[in-house]
Amino acid sequence: MDATSGLQKPLARAPRENCELALDATKAPRFAICYDDEDAQGNFDSQNELYRRDDDGKWTLINSSKNSGKHLSVIGTSTDGLIYANQSDGKKPEALGTIDLATGAFKTLFEDPISDPAGYITSADGETILGVITEAGAPRVTMVDEKHPDAEIYASLAGAFPGQLVRFSSATKDGKKIVVSVVSDKNPGELYLYDRDTGKARFLMQGRKWLDPKKMASVKPFSMTTRDGLKIYGYLTIPHGSDGKNLPMIVNVHGGPMGPRDDWAFNWETQLLASRGYLVMQINYRGSGGFGKGFQDMGYGTWATGIMNDIIDATKWTINQGYADGDRVCIYGGSFGGYASLMAPTIDQKLFKCAFGYVGAYDIDVQLTKSDTSDRESGRRYMARAFGKTKAEQDAMSPVKHADKFKIPVYLAAGARDPRCPPENTESMNKALIAAGNPPEGMIIQSGEMHGFYKEENNQRLYTEMLGFFDRHIGGKVNVGGASKAN
């Protein structure tokens, strides 16, 4: 595109639909990574194809995961021509490597037995990969190109910020000045400007500058083994100033379930809960992203069994380790996390003392007929794999069908215009709980909001109600003028 005139000139067209393009070292379109959501039998599954664009402009298929069993995708190309790629066998975590332009052969540079690459450390040019970030627990950087001149600079800067994740964010064209990003569990983000000539970095700016990182809650990674022998990973957000023992706890379940995950980085919501004295437990249950496709695929069809067991087992582990007071545990989440908040207490009816469901999917019938997922053929295939194809399978994992097992206080919140988990889910759950003799303490169907609240006044209402609900039932502590005051 000509930045002056706005005129655009096409350089290349992908070989088929649903592709993304990757450039070579000369910035010419060289690869296309194309995606499918269907296996050979017509069922939902993630597949991809990798094409190479030859000098004559024609595309050549290098790899098809349906045929080879290998998922191969190009990340980018370094200035000296190395073509970086990820490869997976569809089970284990992805490996980082390079591919041969002519043959497509993959050469491994790095592979972790637990974690997919969660990110990369690049040089000042933004294209050469110096290291790989993995994140089973806290971020861990493994260098793959220690001979590069920028590797020494990175090591020095990383050493200057112990316990934090350092990255090169951007740089001048000559690489002499580098913008450096620094983040952690307590630090929402800072930027520094490093001068290669002087070897010094000066502070530029801070994200959420009204917060004092020294007063933020700390995040402790942990791992535990489930009842069926699966090792899973999670995080405990521990209130600032506490000893981290015998605390009231919120089990905060992430959405998805297949693909998204919790991580170690600064999280404003868990910090909010921790600031009121609550220990917050997050678990990357089976189905979560970041641990290989095989781990993610374990979530299909196990919403009410394997995943709920993982959440329950991690909750009990946290209690047994002495972090949480077993008599003061509530569960909360949004989307699938909302689903889990209304499903887990029907399976273990003594573990949780209250549940808060937010923009949740509680009625499988609603999801199958009214959600935007049901509008697409791929979405319908996804739901058939996730929920099962029979009414009995779907009812077994639908919280509205188990409302009679719910014996604890409930609060529900939804967006009135939510297309992903339509508010009919929340209305149906509300009616089911009333019919079961356990009406929710409150319900918000917020006008104008969708799959999550965005307006400040609506979020203020949501979290005021939520914190009040938790305080009534498990009573955290509120920081007042630097002191702790029990509710």
Side-chain angles (χ1 to χ4, degrees), residues 112-345:
D112 187 87
I114 298 169
S115 173
D116 288 328
Y120 302 97
I121 304 299
T122 57
S123 62
D125 64 19
E127 296 173 351
T128 303
I129 294 179
L130 305 178
V132 183
I133 305 167
T134 53
E135 199 167 2
R140 175 184 169 189
V141 175
T142 302
M143 302 301 286
V144 296
D145 187 356
E146 294 184 295
K147 295 181 180 180
H148 192 284
D150 288 356
E152 184 176 350
I153 295 173
Y154 177 79
S156 175
L157 286 166
F161 298 96
Q164 303 195 73
L165 179 61
V166 176
R167 288 178 172 175
F168 294 161
S169 181
S170 62
T172 54
K173 284 187 176 181
D174 60 8
K176 289 194 173 183
K177 289 184 171 57
I178 304 170
V179 176
V180 179
S181 165
V182 181
V183 298
S184 76
D185 56 338
K186 297 181 178 183
N187 181 1
E190 296 173 332
L191 294 179
Y192 294 80
L193 184 64
Y194 175 78
D195 189 311
R196 194 186 294 265
D197 291 334
T198 65
K200 295 181 179 180
R202 66 178 178 87
F203 175 79
L204 291 177
M205 63 183 68
Q206 176 185 350
R208 300 177 185 260
K209 60 183 180 181
W210 54 88
L211 297 178
D212 182 355
K214 294 179 181 178
K215 296 180 180 179
M216 295 297 101
S218 61
V219 179
K220 178 183 178 66
F222 71 90
S223 63
M224 52 84 59
T225 302
T226 64
R227 67 188 72 182
D228 59 349
L230 182 66
K231 190 173 184 179
I232 56 177
Y233 296 80
Y235 302 93
L236 296 174
T237 301
I238 301 172
H240 172 72
S242 81
D243 61 4
K245 299 295 183 182
N246 203 38
L247 294 169
M249 180 169 72
I250 308 297
V251 176
N252 182 205
V253 185
H254 72 71
M258 283 75 77
R261 60 160 295 171
D262 288 314
D263 59 33
W264 174 81
F266 183 91
N267 181 317
W268 65 264
E269 188 177 60
T270 57
Q271 289 286 344
L272 170 67
L273 295 170
S275 74
R276 268 60 176 184
Y278 296 109
L279 174 73
V280 184
M281 192 275 283
Q282 298 169 290
I283 189 68
N284 284 317
Y285 47 75
R286 68 191 71 200
S288 302
F291 297 89
K293 186 174 181 296
F295 185 86
Q296 182 171 309
D297 286 351
M298 292 174 71
Y300 289 104
T302 69
W303 285 29
T305 52
I307 295 178
M308 291 306 109
N309 289 343
D310 291 349
I311 294 167
I312 290 167
D313 289 354
T315 302
K316 291 180 177 179
W317 179 90
T318 308
I319 295 168
N320 292 336
Q321 294 295 312
Y323 296 110
D325 178 351
D327 293 325
R328 294 195 292 167
V329 177
C330 286
I331 185 168
Y332 155 68
S335 194
F336 175 81
Y339 166 94
S341 297
L342 273 293
M343 194 72 205

Side-chain angles (χ1 to χ4, degrees), residues 5-135:
S5 67
L7 295 176
Q8 299 181 32
K9 176 184 177 182
L11 299 179
R13 185 179 296 276
R16 42 155 290 194
E17 292 182 346
N18 202 26
C19 301
E20 60 185 39
L21 299 178
L23 309 181
D24 63 16
T26 68
K27 307 302 182 186
R30 184 62 64 184
F31 300 98
I33 308 98
C34 305
Y35 299 93
D36 293 295
D37 49 36
E38 188 176 3
D39 64 15
Q41 290 74 42
N43 300 312
F44 183 88
D45 197 11
S46 57
Q47 305 287 343
N48 76 350
E49 293 179 331
L50 178 63
Y51 292 84
R52 180 191 67 234
R53 184 171 178 267
D54 299 322
D55 292 337
D56 60 4
K58 294 181 179 179
W59 291 99
T60 299
L61 179 64
I62 295 177
N63 181 73
S64 168
S65 62
K66 287 183 180 180
N67 298 329
S68 69
K70 301 288 186 181
H71 295 249
L72 184 63
S73 58
V74 169
I75 302 170
T77 307
S78 70
T79 51
D80 58 3
L82 282 177
I83 303 164
Y84 298 112
N86 282 332
Q87 180 175 277
S88 164
D89 63 358
K91 297 178 182 177
K92 296 183 295 184
E94 290 183 334
L96 167 71
T98 60
I99 61 171
D100 184 278
L101 180 61
T103 66
F106 180 83
K107 179 182 177 182
T108 300
L109 293 176
F110 173 85
E111 188 172 12
D112 187 87
I114 298 169
S115 173
D116 288 328
Y120 302 97
I121 304 299
T122 57
S123 62
D125 64 19
E127 296 173 351
T128 303
I129 294 179
L130 305 178
V132 183
I133 305 167
T134 53
E135 199 167 2

